[in-house]
Amino acid sequence: PKFGEFGGQYVPEALHTCLAELEKGFESAVADPEFWKEFKDLYSYIGRPSSLHRAERLTEYAGGAQIWLKREDLNHTGSHKINNALAQVLIAKRLGKKKIIAETGAGQHGVATATACAKFGLECTVFMGAEDVRRQALNVFRMRILGAKVVAVTNGTQTLRDATSEAFRFWVSNLESTHYVVGSAIGPHPYPTLVRTFQSVIGQETKEQFKTLNGGKLPNAVVACVGGGSNSTGMFSPFEHDTEVKMLGVEAGGDGLDTDRHSATLTAGIPGVFHGVKTYVLQDSDGQVHDTHSVSAGLDYPGVGPELAFWKSTGRADFVAATDAQALIGFKLLSQLEGIIPALESSHAIYGGVELAKTMPKDQHIVINVSGRGDKDVQSVAEVLPKL
Ligand SMILES: CC/C=C(/N=C/c1c(COP(=O)(O)O)cnc(C)c1O)C(=O)O
């Protein structure tokens, strides 16, 4: 359960039994061909494989490497979150759980979990910061229409960090009946491994599709935005041992790394324990976790997954930060050069990918993961678009 010095289970005694039960449930599921058949039978429901295609005008704009897009935004519910939510609900059913809880920031994970619960007939409660209930209202409507209960969390900054803490607090006193579908590659073991495993369908498909389209070659780089680390570890992990393939994670630089209003945990944080796991945290030297900011609710989080912390420590992956303003440029570029309106989270990867492509020769290739669609964000962006 360790990623070098990172990972582990830093949780109260009360959670040990259910985490051990979940680990056994996860291991028995991945070892069971029947589970994989059940998961693969859902591919037509999700819309897998998601497409991989060139971005001609974005490539021309960048003027360097060929840019390819992995279209996780085209999945059912509009992001990569559905991959992990469905897999975890299948496991919850195998564990005999009747109730599901989840945390959400952008609302994509909340919608994905509510969707999985509607499909498999489980009760669903989603914890969401009150600030995110406001700025991702479209997804709150969707969660409720799908039959989920949305609990607005008013502690702290009323964003993803607070929703996650509240979900853990609720889970501790409902362990018997309830499975907590954690939405990112964070939290105590086995969650980072479990979530990465089910999101790695992204990188596996990308590898196969790219090789088929390019005579067996691998891309020179793969790029993904980083919130908790699920779409990035999902895209990166199948390439982990292809060391010639560069991995670039793009974090939320908010108002700038020279301010205290950002969420660039790997770029500007330090090793620490947060939400039950040893990883990188935006905290000061005496462990006070910072308040964070990002224009994108899904990246607005002071922690990150331990596997990314490990790849940072070994140098296997590089991490940069894109500010709110740069993410909005990415949002506009993909919309107006490729006709694809991306989620604000994914917009960070677009900006970082374009900047990377500019530094690479035209005969090289990069794949950017478009982790989600931007419907949830169009209202907040429309207000600032004229100034872009
Ligand atoms: C689980 C909390 C994070 C959420 N979303 C995060 C997110 C992210 C960042 O999450 P990770 O992939 O887990 O780093 C990227 N792209 C989209 C479209 C997202 O919605 C959510 O609540 O939907």
Side-chain angles (χ1 to χ4, degrees), residues 73 78-81 84 102-112 126-128 132 136 139 160 164 180-186 195 199 202 224-234 296-301 304-305 308 342-347 369-373 376-377:
D73 61 307
S79 85
H80 67 293
K81 296 295 181 186
N84 167 54
E103 85 287 8
T104 202
Q108 291 300 131
H109 177 57
V111 166
V126 180
F127 294 89
M128 187 175 199
D132 292 337
Q136 307 279 230
N139 280 336
L160 178 54
T164 307
Y180 175 7
V181 177
V182 171
S184 187
I186 57 155
V195 175
Q199 291 293 2
I202 301 171
C225 66
V226 174
S230 72
N231 94 91
S232 48
T233 52
S296 63
L299 304 186
D300 190 352
Y301 180 68
V304 72
L308 289 181
L344 279 172
E345 293 80 8
S346 322
S347 300
N369 193 30
V370 185
S371 52
R373 52 183 305 135
K376 65 184 177 68
D377 299 312

Side-chain angles (χ1 to χ4, degrees), residues 72-136:
E72 289 298 297
D73 61 307
L74 292 178
N75 297 336
H76 179 40
T77 70
S79 85
H80 67 293
K81 296 295 181 186
I82 190 72
N83 305 324
N84 167 54
L86 281 169
Q88 284 203 44
V89 165
L90 288 181
I91 289 173
K93 277 180 59 191
R94 290 164 67 101
L95 291 173
K97 304 294 180 186
K98 296 278 174 287
K99 296 180 182 175
I100 296 291
I101 60 169
E103 85 287 8
T104 202
Q108 291 300 131
H109 177 57
V111 166
T113 306
T115 298
C117 291
K119 180 141 181 62
F120 290 105
L122 299 176
E123 187 190 298
C124 182
T125 300
V126 180
F127 294 89
M128 187 175 199
E131 166 64 9
D132 292 337
V133 167
R134 185 192 61 74
R135 61 180 171 169
Q136 307 279 230

